[in-house]
Amino acid sequence: MKAIVIKLKDVDISEQLAQECIASGKENGLIIYPFNGVYGEEQISAKHSEFGIRPWKEKMKKGRLGVKGCFLSHYSIWLHCIEINEPIMIFEHDAVVLRKI
């Protein structure tokens, strides 16, 4: 199964944690590919436009950027799953693989 780790490009701690996730996967026979997550108001706005989606509740328009970016990152990968017709295992940057999956 294809595996992806979501990281925030050019955010040192996120890049470092993602590399640790990738290394722990390798130690346990899993190849994990990095994916640049959606990060910041500009990228969030661009993804909303690209996907033709908008917050469905008024209070969601004022939601935290991290929550929005996380959703849009996962949504991007979900769309890719549909496109390639394959499941994809998704890790956050702070995940660690402890044993074979």
Side-chain angles (χ1 to χ4, degrees):
M1 177 183 294
K2 188 173 186 177
I4 290 176
V5 59
I6 298 171
K7 67 181 185 71
L8 303 178
K9 184 179 179 186
D10 299 328
V11 175
D12 291 341
I13 189 67
S14 181
E15 297 272 6
Q16 177 186 347
L17 289 170
Q19 286 305 313
E20 291 174 16
C21 178
I22 291 167
S24 71
K26 187 174 183 178
E27 289 172 7
N28 289 286
L30 183 64
I31 298 170
I32 304 173
Y33 299 93
F35 174 85
N36 291 326
V38 179
Y39 177 65
E41 202 164 343
E42 190 174 298
Q43 288 183 19
I44 289 167
S45 180
K47 286 294 180 184
H48 277 149
S49 295
E50 177 184 337
F51 298 144
I53 60 176
R54 59 180 171 72
W56 59 277
K57 284 187 174 181
E58 190 62 35
K59 69 180 182 178
M60 295 299 286
K61 291 180 183 177
K62 298 176 184 168
R64 295 185 329 200
L65 292 179
V67 173
K68 291 177 181 181
C70 183
F71 167 76
L72 291 165
S73 297
H74 281 263
Y75 189 75
S76 298
I77 297 168
W78 296 333
L79 291 176
H80 183 62
C81 285
I82 293 167
E83 182 181 305
I84 65 172
N85 196 30
E86 284 182 41
I88 297 176
M89 190 180 312
I90 303 172
F91 293 96
E92 296 292 331
H93 60 195
D94 58 349
V96 176
V97 180
L98 300 175
R99 62 184 175 274
K100 292 193 185 300
I101 297 175

